[in-house]
């Protein structure tokens, strides 16, 4: 396999703590790659007025694969105040670099696996009808449309006259016709048939690969008739190409109720941008939360893998670092899967599963401690200690595998 070049974008805060841990893991599984650091995030905004500099865009365009840590974003007022004095008042506007990156490279497929590891004390448990509890095995992957929908960014408070005039052509706008401009906010939900088709197809392809029986589309077509309607209609069309896989449909609100009752029944869920964002966080909460939530932003050419969590600034300066590196490491394993390095990805998964199941090494979140420097003295593993445990497991598993190969030859 040709050697890959990976663009590493640690970004802000704990992004700088977890991304290097993922690189240690990639090295230990024998993944040979060149890594190029690229700048992204708050410091770029403050110094350059652009959180996603052109040089980073150029690197991604050239090398196509990225690992991203996390960024800090702040409301517009704080963004303006922290801008370098000579850049202030010059019309710079803060845009989230990750949203910009998704739109710029059309990373329209967002894949968010929410898979429980046995023995994780953070796993969802359910009270049985009689007495006792059970812990269903959750293996859900949410396919979230990543570039359109409510996050298309077409919105106004006090919409300009021509927009108001256009809205007024809709009979339902009569109810808002007298609202003063400054009191009226409008966000446009855009769905295109081609993007809907791509996200649903990605979900079905994944179900086929994993041998799952069905795909659930989560929208609200009975109320949001046009946009959710197009998602649902497209899903029905795409489903015809997959005769062995059922298409189930659940309204978004009902789905959030179902996931508290029988989350194990959902293996593949597909939704538009905002609904997918909500669903993936909700499912992630059932399998360990932010310390375990990995994701891939996948386009036709470029793909960027990242943990779902943010920069957690309150822990960013702690030495040793205390946050859980597993979400970042799982994101790196997703990248391996994406480029066909399936055995290496699998080795990482098995190593994490073994460490979690053994339960000897746990970061503060897994012990349900409130974060801070004292967690180490309370028995929590530091970020590098968690990675060390995973690396040791990788080595043990790899040796066992080699031994097996030798015996069976
Ligand atoms: P956050 O995800 O950074 O942290 C929320 C809380 O979750 C933390 O205080 C911590 O208790 C826990 N947490 C997060 N990652 C963890 C890990 N790896 N291990 C253990 N515990 C972990 O979200 P928050 O505090 O809302 O936002 C902080 C900054 O991050 C903001 O500026 C926000 O805009 C940004 N953000 C960036 C994202 C991205 O880069 N994709 C996503 C979400 C937020
Ligand atoms: Mg989110």
């Amino acid at each position: 396999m040709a050697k890959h070049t990976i663009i590493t974008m640690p970004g802000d805060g704990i992004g700088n703590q977890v991304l290097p841990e993922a690189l240690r893991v990639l090295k230990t599984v024998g993944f040979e790659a060149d890594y190029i650091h690229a700048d992204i995030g708050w410091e770029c905004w403050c110094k350059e007025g652009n959180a996603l500099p052109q040089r980073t865009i150029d690197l991604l365009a050239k090398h196509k694969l990225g690992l991203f840590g996390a960024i800090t974003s702040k409301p517009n007022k704080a963004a303006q105040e922290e801008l370098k004095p000579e850049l202030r008042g010059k019309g710079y506007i803060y845009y989230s670099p990750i949203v910009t990156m998704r739109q710029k490279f059309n990373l329209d497929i967002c894949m968010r696996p929410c898979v429980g590891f046995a023995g994780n004390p953070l796993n969802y448990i359910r009270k049985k009808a009689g007495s006792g509890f059970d812990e269903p095995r959750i293996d859900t992957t949410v396919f979230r449309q990543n570039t359109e929908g409510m996050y298309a960014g077409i919105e106004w408070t006090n919409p300009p006259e021509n927009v108001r005039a256009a809205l007024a052509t809709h009979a339902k706008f009569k109810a808002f016709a007298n609202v003063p401009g400054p009191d009226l906010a409008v966000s446009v939900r855009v769905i295109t048939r081609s993007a809907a088709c791509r996200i649903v197809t990605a979900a079905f392809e994944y179900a086929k690969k994993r041998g799952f029986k069905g795909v659930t589309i989560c929208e609200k077509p009975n109320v949001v008739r046009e946009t959710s309607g197009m998602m649902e209609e497209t899903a029905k069309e795409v489903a015809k190409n997959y005769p062995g896989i059922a298409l189930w449909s659940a309204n978004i609100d009902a789905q959030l109720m179902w996931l508290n009752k029988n989350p194990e029944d959902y293996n593949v869920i597909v939704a538009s941008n905002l609904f997918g964002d909500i669903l993936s966080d909700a499912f992630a909460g059932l399998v360990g939360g932010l310390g375990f939530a990995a994701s891939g932003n996948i386009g036709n050419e470029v793909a960027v893998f990242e943990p779902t969590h943010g920069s957690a600034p309150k822990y960013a300066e702690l030495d040793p670092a205390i946050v859980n590196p597993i979400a970042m490491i799982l994101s790196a394993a997703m990248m391996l899967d994406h480029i066909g390095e399936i055995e290496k990805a699998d080795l990482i998964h098995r190593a994490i599963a073994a460490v979690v199941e053994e339960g000897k090494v746990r970061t503060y979140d897994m012990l349900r401690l409130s974060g801070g420097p004292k967690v180490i003295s309370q028995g929590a593993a530091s970020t590098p200690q968690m990675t060390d445990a995973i690396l040791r497991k990788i080595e043990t598993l790899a040796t066992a595998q080699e031994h097996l190969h030798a015996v069976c030859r």
Side-chain angles (χ1 to χ4, degrees), residues 102 112 144 151 276-278 280-281 290 308-309:
R102 287 169 185 157
R112 291 187 163 180
R144 160 192 175 193
Y151 295 178
D277 197 9
I278 295 170
S280 57
D281 270 21
L290 290 174
T308 306
H309 64 72

Side-chain angles (χ1 to χ4, degrees), residues 14 68-73 98 290-291 306-315 323-324 364-365:
I14 63 165
F68 166 61
I71 48 94
T72 297
S73 26
I98 183 71
L290 290 174
E306 54 157 333
T308 306
H309 64 72
S311 61
K314 61 185 176 186
Y315 304 140
V323 295
N324 192 343
Y364 83 95
D365 52 322

Side-chain angles (χ1 to χ4, degrees), residues 113-117 120 122-124 138-139 282-289 292:
C114 305
V115 183
F117 287 103
N120 186 347
L122 304 177
N123 281 349
Y124 165 90
I138 298 172
D139 182 348
F283 268 93
L286 305 177
V287 295
F292 289 85

